[in-house]
């Protein structure tokens, strides 16, 4: 088994003085997906923001390929190889779909997106339209496309399937599988268990900011997960 | 000084606050140790606000007179100590400063170089307790007790220049434009009388808000369609510059003559050569006026302040005369008793940059110049000697 | 048509377009970065002094443009890095900081040039016959240049990569950081663009006004009103705000007098602040 690409250990952080994430640890290796599960408000998105550097880690460490990155700002973490697709406001509403995709590509070339357009033809049809006019689910497709196509070694996806039709969720799963096969390490926050079961290699289940269950997909059956997911 | 932050107009809001802070930080102006027998003079002039352009030459000219007087033994043996005080903000701020000067600093005499609204407020605050000398060109009518005016009066400035425009430049109709405050409105009342006396007519009279960021395209277009022979301008400072540049920009300068009642060297520099064609001024002093007295004054001014000396202008030289007037007045009255001063003022002679002046009826007769603008210089066209001030103050 | 009405109509066009030109720099910095730059007028003043220095050295008027862009750009760069950067998202602090900056720039100008007025010769003197009236040539050119700058900025912001990136940064800063946009550098760019536009406006307006340390104060209030009326962050906002404020000022000044023009502008600005605080065309 290859060494972990992204590791976080004993991470604590939150907003103001209230810790939302308390001593959460985990890791993900190249070609694997770590699915972070849990009810609403258990700190999953906050964990993503701690990993991406939007919020400071009050305690604990974050390492990329063995290098500590918990002190780095967001753009620096991106530059080191972490892509991120946020749950809220996942695209640039004021920009066209095309500009959303090519914003950081000097050649403004759309060729790298051919695979994605084949699966999500709506994006190709709406290239010149403002992304703000897309539906919530369509924005998620655009966001995922942008994030996966960045081709970085680590990708953080925060609820990528929210509002997305099942057919497109399957396409998402297939695209994620392609990235996995190419050696990308992904951490995916999910509410949709069926989707999670398709892509996950490991689970990390959170409740009230803490880890309550962690382990490989094969060792954790659906019933144990549901205990922590049902309201 | 904090009250200046509460100043009202836009310019004063920002500019005044700045002046206030600058003053508050300036060392040595306030509260420094001083000999008990100094003769203390409070000098009101523009450190902030729209008139602060004149501030440097007001202070420099007064300072020059103070140096000269002190070198010659001071006032009755007492060295003059000057208390420069801002009068560029709203009158209420200046009167507060006046109260402080009177009660805390216990000044012996006040000199004021500021607008008429401030003068009226100051006279009411001082209540004749100390002598008050008012220096800049004004609209006339100041006869308050223990108040002495060395400014050009309407009879000295407006009557001769308007009459000259009408008789020698053949102007029959006038358009009046000014800033909206005491001096322009009262000056225009005088001007209308003089114009009527000479059989001329007024085609329009208009005022722009004082201290607002005025632009003049619309007013100039109105003047263009009204086709007067001449425009009488009682705009001051930046408004005066803006108006005249706009006026010439619209090409009206060839057809229509302009007479500006507060046009001195600083303002003319702003108007520039391309704005000053067919523009006239009337004052008792220009920096390039002839005469031994002015030459001597200028030598001393530039010897003291060098090449970087503030631009000379009547607004400054009247402060110079004000300090000299203070010395002559107090020494003649042998003190600052109001009644003795009022008596001494009649027939009092003192030195100005234009030579000796003699006071009676709380005002001064003087030689007046009518000047045309040649580029950014004044060219004296006509000299009128011994012009009576025409004010009818009854000696109390 | 009555030449008087034609002239007054041109005055309205002139008033609106020059006001739009004067407000652009403020609109860029306030609308995109959320920084109310109280020193905007002082950057205009700096541009005007560049025009004066150019003339005093005997260089052609147009040489003032690169000079002003270099000086205002460099000044904007230093100010953004040293003063504004630590204060983003703290509106009151940036207000106080830029107010202090305006005092500093004014005092510096006073120290270098003195308090006195300077004038810059009109580069195109004389009038041009137009629609049956004479109108000053330079003012007509200024109308054209203001329109061109406005359209140019609009187009550039639409199609250039930097414009798109600034839009991305302004619209969604978190995502901009996540995709690796150099947001801090972009903010510096944006600020510098704003100060350069102010400097450009200063050069162009210099031949028409007295060049003096206090001149910047003349523009602060009016340009701020334009943004109040027009709203933040869009070119349409700048245009509509300038049209309302500059247009009303000109029309009322022409129809009655400047006092009523000034009064109308104040009343309208207050009404907008009260009833429609986001203005006519605020960015969503």
């Amino acid at each position: 088994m290859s060494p972990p690409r992204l590791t976080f250990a004993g991470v604590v952080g939150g907003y103001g003085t209230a810790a939302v994430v308390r001593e959460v640890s985990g890791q993900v290796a190249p070609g694997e997906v770590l699915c972070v599960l849990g009810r609403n408000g258990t700190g999953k998105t906050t964990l993503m923001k701690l990993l991406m550097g939007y919020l400071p880690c009050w305690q604990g460490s974050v390492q990329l390929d063995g290098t500590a990155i918990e002190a780095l700002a967001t753009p620096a973490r991106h530059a080191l190889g972490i892509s991120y697709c946020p749950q809220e406001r996942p695209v640039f509403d004021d920009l066209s779909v095309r500009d959303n995709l090519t914003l950081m590509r000097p050649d403004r070339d759309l060729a790298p997106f051919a695979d994605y357009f084949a699966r999500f033809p709506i994006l190709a049809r709406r290239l010149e339209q403002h992304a703000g006019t897309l539906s919530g689910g369509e924005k998620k497709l655009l966001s995922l496309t942008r994030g996966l196509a960045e081709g970085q070694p680590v990708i953080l996806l925060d609820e990528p399937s929210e509002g997305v039709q099942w057919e497109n969720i399957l396409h998402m799963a297939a695209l994620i599988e392609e990235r996995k096969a190419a050696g990308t390490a992904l951490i995916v926050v999910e509410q949709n268990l069926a989707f999670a079961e398709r892509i996950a290699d490991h689970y990390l289940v959170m409740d009230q900011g803490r880890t309550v269950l962690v382990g490989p997909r094969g060792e954790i059956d659906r019933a144990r997960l549901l205990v922590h997911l049902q309201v | 000084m904090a009250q200046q932050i509460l100043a009202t107009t836009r310019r004063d809001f920002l500019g005044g606050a700045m002046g206030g802070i600058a003053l508050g930080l300036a060392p040595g102006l306030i509260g420094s140790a001083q000999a008990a027998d100094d003769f203390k003079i409070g000098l009101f002039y523009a450190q902030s606000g729209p008139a602060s352009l004149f501030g440097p030459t007001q202070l420099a000219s007064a300072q020059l007179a103070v140096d000269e007087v002190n070198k010659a033994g001071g006032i009755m043996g007492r060295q003059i100590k000057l208390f420069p005080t801002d009068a560029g903000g709203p009158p209420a701020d200046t009167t507060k400063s006046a109260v402080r000067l009177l009660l805390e600093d216990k000044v012996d005499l006040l000199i004021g170089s500021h607008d008429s609204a401030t003068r009226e407020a100051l006279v009411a605050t001082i209540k004749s307790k100390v002598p008050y000398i008012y220096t800049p060109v004004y609209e006339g009518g100041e006869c308050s007790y223990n108040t002495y005016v060395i400014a050009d009066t309407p009879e000295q400035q407006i009557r001769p220049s308007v009459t000259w425009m009408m008789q020698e430049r053949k102007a029959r109709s006038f358009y009046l434009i000014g800033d909206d405050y005491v001096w322009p409105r009262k000056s225009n009342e005088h001007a209308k009388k003089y114009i009527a006396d000479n059989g001329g007519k007024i085609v329009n009279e208009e005022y722009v808000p004082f201290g607002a960021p005025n632009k003049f395209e619309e007013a100039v277009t109105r003047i263009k369609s009204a086709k007067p022979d001449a425009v009488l301008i009682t705009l001051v400072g930046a408004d005066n510059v803006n108006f005249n540049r706009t006026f010439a920009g619209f090409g009206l300068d060839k057809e229509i003559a302009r007479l500006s009642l507060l046009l001195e060297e600083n303002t003319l520099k702003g108007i520039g050569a391309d704005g000053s064609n067919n523009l006239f001024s009337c004052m008792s002093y220009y920096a390039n006026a002839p005469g031994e007295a002015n030459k001597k004054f200028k030598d001393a001014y530039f010897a003291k302040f060098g090449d970087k000396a503030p631009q000379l202008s009547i607004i400054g030289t009247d402060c110079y005369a004000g300090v000299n007037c203070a010395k002559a007045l107090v020494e003649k009255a042998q003190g600052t008793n109001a009644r003795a001063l009022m008596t001494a003022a009649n027939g009092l002679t003192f030195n100005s940059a234009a030579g000796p002046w003699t006071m009676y009826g709380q005002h001064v007769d003087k030689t007046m110049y009518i000047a045309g603008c040649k580029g950014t210089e004044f060219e004296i066209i006509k000299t009128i000697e011994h012009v009576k001030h025409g004010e009818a103050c009854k000696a109390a | 048509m009555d030449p008087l009405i034609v002239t007054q109509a041109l005055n309205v066009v002139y008033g609106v377009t020059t006001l739009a030109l004067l407000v652009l720099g403020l609109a860029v910095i306030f609308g995109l970065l959320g920084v109310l730059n109280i020193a905007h007028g002082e950057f205009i003043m700096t541009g005007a002094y560049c025009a004066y220095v150019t003339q005093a050295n005997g260089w052609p008027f147009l040489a003032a443009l690169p000079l002003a862009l270099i000086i205002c750009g460099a000044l904007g760069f230093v100010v953004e890095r040293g003063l504004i950067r630590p204060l983003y998202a703290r509106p009151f602090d940036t207000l106080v900081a830029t107010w202090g900056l305006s005092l500093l720039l004014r005092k510096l100008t006073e120290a270098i040039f003195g308090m006195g007025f300077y004038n810059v010769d009109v580069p195109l003197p004389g009038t041009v016959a137009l629609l049956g009236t004479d109108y000053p040539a330079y003012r007509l050119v200024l109308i054209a240049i203001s329109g061109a700058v406005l359209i140019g900025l609009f187009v550039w912001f639409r199609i250039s990569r930097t414009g798109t990136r600034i839009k991305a940064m302004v619209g969604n800063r978190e995502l901009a950081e996540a995709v690796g946009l150099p947001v801090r550098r972009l903010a510096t760019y944006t600020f510098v663009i704003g100060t350069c536009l102010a400097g450009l406006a200063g050069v162009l307006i210099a031949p028409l006004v007295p060049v003096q340390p206090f001149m910047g104060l003349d523009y602060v209030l009016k340009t701020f009103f334009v943004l109040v009326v027009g709203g933040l962050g869009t070119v349409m906002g700048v245009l509509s705000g300038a049209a309302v404020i500059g247009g009303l000022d000109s029309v009322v000044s022409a129809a009655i007098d400047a006092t009523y023009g000034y009064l109308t502008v104040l009343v309208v600005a207050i009404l907008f602040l009260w009833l429609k605080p986001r203005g006519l065309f605020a960015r969503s």
Side-chain angles (χ1 to χ4, degrees), chain B residues 9-211:
Chain B
T9 66
R10 160 205 53 85
R11 221 186 251 273
D12 290 334
F13 170 64
L14 297 164
M18 180 205 72
I21 289 165
L23 257 187
L25 296 176
L29 285 184
I30 300 155
S32 57
Q34 52 207 253
D37 61 346
D38 279 343
F39 189 90
K40 298 177 199 162
I41 296 181
L43 174 69
F44 288 108
Y45 73 109
Q47 289 171 344
S48 67
S52 56
L53 146 83
F54 304 127
T57 186
Q58 287 170 313
L59 184 60
S61 302
Q63 199 66 55
L64 175 63
V66 167
D67 282 8
E68 288 176 0
V69 169
N70 281 346
K71 212 172 283 175
I75 296 180
M76 297 169 64
R78 294 160 71 188
Q79 292 284 296
I80 296 178
K81 182 174 170 56
L82 207 55
F83 289 72
T85 306
D86 185 25
D93 287 357
T94 310
T95 55
K96 276 179 210 153
S97 304
V99 169
R100 197 200 64 219
L101 283 175
L102 292 171
L103 297 183
E104 284 179 27
D105 300 316
K106 299 194 168 38
V107 293
D108 297 290
L109 183 144
L110 292 167
I111 295 176
S113 180
H114 43 68
D115 67 37
S116 293
T118 301
R119 186 192 71 245
E120 289 172 358
L122 276 180
V123 165
T125 304
I126 300 165
K127 297 198 185 75
S128 316
K129 286 197 181 75
V130 299
Y132 168 49
I133 298 173
Y134 184 64
T135 67
V137 50
Y138 89 127
E139 69 282 357
E142 182 57 70
C143 292
S144 305
Y145 193 67
N146 210 12
T147 299
Y148 312 91
V149 182
I150 57 178
D152 298 0
T153 63
E155 278 291 313
Q156 291 171 318
Q157 190 205 17
I158 307 178
R159 183 198 283 279
S161 54
V162 165
T163 305
W164 174 83
M165 286 288 271
M166 297 186 73
Q167 291 179 350
E168 292 179 43
R169 307 283 304 186
K170 305 296 175 219
R172 309 307 309 162
S173 57
F174 284 81
Y175 195 111
L176 312 185
I177 184 166
D179 276 310
D180 199 354
Y181 73 103
V182 182
W183 173 74
R185 285 191 177 268
K186 286 199 176 168
S187 293
N188 278 343
E189 289 314 308
H190 290 285
K192 283 190 272 189
K193 196 174 75 217
Y194 303 139
I195 291 168
D197 287 350
N198 284 287
K201 64 169 193 198
I202 310 292
V203 297
N204 196 9
E205 179 177 359
E206 98 170 65
Y207 296 93
V208 301
F210 188 37

Side-chain angles (χ1 to χ4, degrees), chain A residues 179-215:
Chain A
R179 295 306 319 160
K180 276 168 72 173
T184 304
L186 294 102
I187 300 181
V188 183
V189 170
E190 253 311 322
Q191 296 268 14
N192 185 330
L193 194 53
F195 178 51
E197 284 171 335
R198 278 181 177 269
I199 57 171
D201 296 291
H202 295 266
Y203 291 125
L204 190 163
V205 185
M206 290 175 68
D207 196 8
Q208 297 192 352
R210 295 184 190 278
T211 311
V212 290
L213 190 61
V214 63

Side-chain angles (χ1 to χ4, degrees), chain B residues 52 218 221-222 245 269 274, chain C residues 11 115 119-120 207 250 253-254:
Chain B
S52 56
E218 291 79 14
T221 304
R222 248 196 303 280
R245 287 189 72 76
K269 229 160 99 182
D274 51 8
Chain C
N11 287 338
M115 295 277 286
N119 73 82
V120 173
S250 278
S253 293

